Amino acid sequence: MSTVAPPPQESSDSAEVPELKVVTDATCTFCGCVCDDMELTVEGNKIKKAKNACVLGKAWFLNHHIEDRPEAIIEGQPASYEQAIERAAEILSNAIYPITYGLSDTTCEAQRVAVAISDWIGGCVDTTTSVCHGPSGIAFQEVGEVTCTLGEIKNRADYIVFWGGNPAESHPRHFTRYSLMPKGQFLPNGRKDRTAVLIDVRKTKSAKAADIHLQVKPRSDFELAWAMRAIAKGVDVDTAMIEEKTGISLERLTEVVEGMKAAKFGVILFGMGLTMTRGKHLNSEAVLSLARDLNKYTRWTAKPMRGHGNVTGADNVVTWQTGYPFGIHLGRGYPRFNPGEWTSSDLLARGEADAALIIASDPMSNFSQPARDHLAKINSVVLDPKLSETAKVATVAFTTSTYGINTTGTVYRMDDVPIPLRPAFDSPYKSDYEILKAIEKRIREKQLNGGMSS
Amino acid sequence: MAETFILIPGRTSKQGVTLNEGKYTDGYLEEINTLQISPEDMERLQFENGDNIRMWNDFGEVVVPCKTSKVDELPPGMLFISYGDKSSRLMAGETHGTGMPDSKGMDVQIEKVSAPA
Ligand code: SF4
């Protein structure tokens, strides 16, 4: 049971006291760590305490309350869910080149329906993966992925390389719960049994937690990884060129590579410092290849550090349903994959998409200017628990409940492990799943019955 | 005189916390709109905390206040800003066939200006 009886309360004015409950084993969906050991103290519609949560998780839980917004807005005017569903179905059915985008902050159940809608209307489906670890997805197809779970890292990894990320700030419990600090089955002394290296252009808070910081020059991660591959294989390298390009001396680099080869179980946890920088998928490819090569000597793995709570679920769901993780075109009745062509940032920046279905994402705040300009011009249907710049320009904006806080479902942790959600309190707003299901139903009625309800 | 720097947008814990408090709160807006510059460059360019800096490249332009980064965190020649609206305005629409615009490690130019945009 996830819900336990509340502790006994002092007697007070009973009519005014909201229901108090404690939800154990709740799941935080703010970041890809998806910590499922939360203990939430809930009073009515407010989470009062989030035990075990990090600073980000606390902010996630404690700031979620029921918004005072209409359930839907059509062209700036409050509307009912029914009206908004009708208008959304009409926009999506009539579009010639629609895109579905977002999906990393909703449940797998909702993601499935979003893919189904894209299929029925012959549109493109893309997720926020395309602007986070999309390049790593391309790299997996090129060189494969020697993978592992966070549990294996906790229990086995005696050498950990964090590359192009700052988990101390972006995934605060990664160090303590999964990677650096915990005592594991084969690492009884926890941190003392592990060596940690940070490879990053900045000396971030994460550098303080590592034993070694290789402060690589910006835009030279590929060269660094390639040099490490060569050193690992004993290939002669040009010392001066490596130092000049990467800023790291050959001696220091050799020390790290030898340490990696001597480890029992190693993992490279890589972030968007690789994927967002020039070279992109080639940077990820170089790091994945390094991990693969090291398996000649000992056990090495590599995993991307994923950001949003269910971005990994989005990759999984979209892949089961179409065969590809993002940047998919369904307009010919079968899936085709082409990043750069059917990825949302490109479809919008080139002015090609004529309608958009956006779920739990805010591209109007984080896409390039030409992409934003085009999105603001076309019809869009936006689902979001909170007001956003994207919701402001939407033709139809739905207010939704929040996954993990108000609605149950499944999310995938960054290591592809599915985890159930245990909600804290009900919301008067519908979930993404319910709204998408209703839009899908209405689209099918239009397609099958010429618009008549069945 | 404008100078070329390398801009690294990234996540910070303050950005994550204030994002949850609300995208329209002062805390979040301050966090995503402040440019961090190394102490060496601040001194060399005679910038003071709070000075407005125009930052631009071929794709966009923003004006943001600056502050000195923590000692050692940023090497000279590099700038940091919390990932968000302002950093994204300097991204190109072009993704070189990947779907991902260059979003970190971008060349930008900066100069001090007298007033916000
Ligand atoms: S590390 Fe991530 S998932 Fe875990 S509590 Fe913090 S924000 Fe939530």
Side-chain angles (χ1 to χ4, degrees), chain B:
Chain B
M1 253 308 281
E3 269 195 53
T4 303
F5 282 77
I6 296 178
L7 175 68
I8 313 282
R11 306 240 175 247
T12 65
S13 85
K14 190 166 173 217
Q15 177 221 19
V17 168
T18 54
L19 172 68
N20 281 312
E21 286 162 8
K23 276 193 170 170
Y24 300 100
T25 57
D26 292 346
Y28 181 71
L29 293 171
E30 187 193 324
E31 181 61 14
I32 63 160
N33 288 333
T34 304
L35 180 67
Q36 294 182 26
I37 304 179
S38 71
E40 296 85 347
D41 286 329
M42 286 291 279
E43 197 182 321
R44 186 174 57 78
L45 297 167
Q46 297 184 325
F47 290 174
E48 304 267 334
N49 282 344
D51 279 351
N52 285 305
I53 306 297
R54 183 166 86 96
M55 175 164 62
W56 74 98
N57 60 11
D58 290 346
F59 315 109
E61 170 181 326
V62 296
V63 175
V64 282
C66 68
K67 76 170 185 196
T68 312
S69 71
K70 284 193 201 111
V71 178
D72 280 357
E73 190 164 312
L74 274 183
M78 218 188 285
L79 307 170
F80 178 82
I81 190 166
S82 278
Y83 184 68
D85 175 59
K86 287 283 158 60
S87 67
S88 304
R89 288 186 189 273
L90 300 167
M91 295 180 335
E94 171 62 50
T95 70
H96 311 110
T98 64
M100 165 73 85
D102 285 351
S103 321
K104 281 182 190 275
M106 301 117 94
D107 280 334
V108 293
Q109 294 195 287
I110 61 169
E111 67 179 9
K112 187 155 98 176
V113 291
S114 50

Side-chain angles (χ1 to χ4, degrees), chain A residues 27-38 52-58 60-61 170-174 177-178 307 309, chain B residues 20:
Chain A
T27 303
C28 176
T29 52
F30 183 69
C31 88
C33 285
V34 188
C35 300
D36 57 350
D37 59 346
M38 300 289 120
N52 295 335
C54 71
V55 57
L56 300 179
K58 282 203 167 63
W60 163 253
F61 285 116
S170 58
H171 301 79
R173 289 186 83 211
H174 202 286
R177 188 159 196 245
Y178 303 116
Chain B
N20 281 312

Side-chain angles (χ1 to χ4, degrees), chain A residues 5-274:
Chain A
Q9 294 294 298
E10 296 287 313
S11 71
S12 61
D13 200 353
S14 60
E16 295 300 318
V17 177
E19 188 203 351
L20 182 80
K21 63 177 177 179
V22 176
V23 183
T24 56
D25 299 328
T27 303
C28 176
T29 52
F30 183 69
C31 88
C33 285
V34 188
C35 300
D36 57 350
D37 59 346
M38 300 289 120
E39 189 179 305
L40 306 178
T41 305
V42 187
E43 207 178 287
N45 286 345
K46 196 116 187 68
I47 298 170
K48 292 287 189 182
K49 265 196 240 156
K51 196 174 151 201
N52 295 335
C54 71
V55 57
L56 300 179
K58 282 203 167 63
W60 163 253
F61 285 116
L62 304 188
N63 287 294
H64 261 90
H65 36 82
I66 302 298
E67 300 270 314
D68 183 20
R69 290 170 59 209
E71 53 190 32
I73 293 177
I74 301 177
E75 289 174 1
Q77 299 303 317
S80 67
Y81 275 136
E82 290 68 32
Q83 291 165 322
I85 286 161
E86 182 64 35
R87 184 66 188 276
E90 186 186 304
I91 289 170
L92 296 171
S93 303
N94 293 341
I96 295 167
Y97 203 177
I99 57 168
T100 299
Y101 177 71
L103 294 172
S104 56
D105 273 320
T106 190
T107 59
C108 292
E109 290 77 2
Q111 290 164 348
R112 260 179 100 155
V113 184
V115 178
I117 291 175
S118 313
D119 197 8
W120 293 128
I121 61 177
C124 292
V125 60
D126 187 40
T127 76
T128 62
T129 279
S130 65
V131 292
C132 69
H133 271 288
S136 304
I138 300 172
F140 297 152
Q141 295 178 355
E142 297 290 331
V143 296
E145 180 192 20
V146 191
T147 185
C148 66
T149 64
L150 295 176
E152 284 176 278
I153 296 171
K154 175 184 168 182
N155 285 311
R156 295 173 188 273
D158 59 343
Y159 207 108
I160 306 175
V161 178
F162 297 97
W163 197 323
N166 180 13
E169 296 206 58
S170 58
H171 301 79
R173 289 186 83 211
H174 202 286
F175 287 165
T176 50
R177 188 159 196 245
Y178 303 116
S179 52
L180 211 50
M181 310 304 290
K183 292 185 175 147
Q185 196 178 349
F186 301 104
L187 304 154
N189 305 308
R191 178 68 182 91
K192 287 197 201 103
D193 288 337
R194 307 180 198 258
T195 303
V197 176
L198 175 78
I199 304 178
D200 198 66
V201 297
R202 292 189 301 136
K203 194 171 174 188
T204 57
K205 280 191 187 155
S206 300
K208 293 182 189 79
D211 301 300
I212 302 169
H213 176 208
L214 300 181
Q215 192 161 5
V216 61
K217 283 189 185 172
R219 304 188 294 224
S220 60
D221 298 276
F222 177 87
E223 288 82 350
L224 190 74
W226 225 250
M228 290 168 83
R229 292 184 69 201
I231 295 165
K233 288 182 181 169
V235 175
D236 275 344
V237 290
D238 183 329
T239 311
M241 199 189 273
I242 289 179
E243 291 193 18
E244 156 77 22
K245 179 68 197 163
T246 66
I248 313 288
S249 72
L250 183 63
E251 199 187 343
R252 197 149 165 73
L253 206 51
T254 306
E255 182 197 328
V256 170
V257 173
E258 290 308 325
M260 290 169 85
K261 284 169 78 170
K264 291 201 180 85
F265 184 109
V267 61
I268 305 175
L269 294 157
F270 59 103
M272 295 195 292
L274 295 176

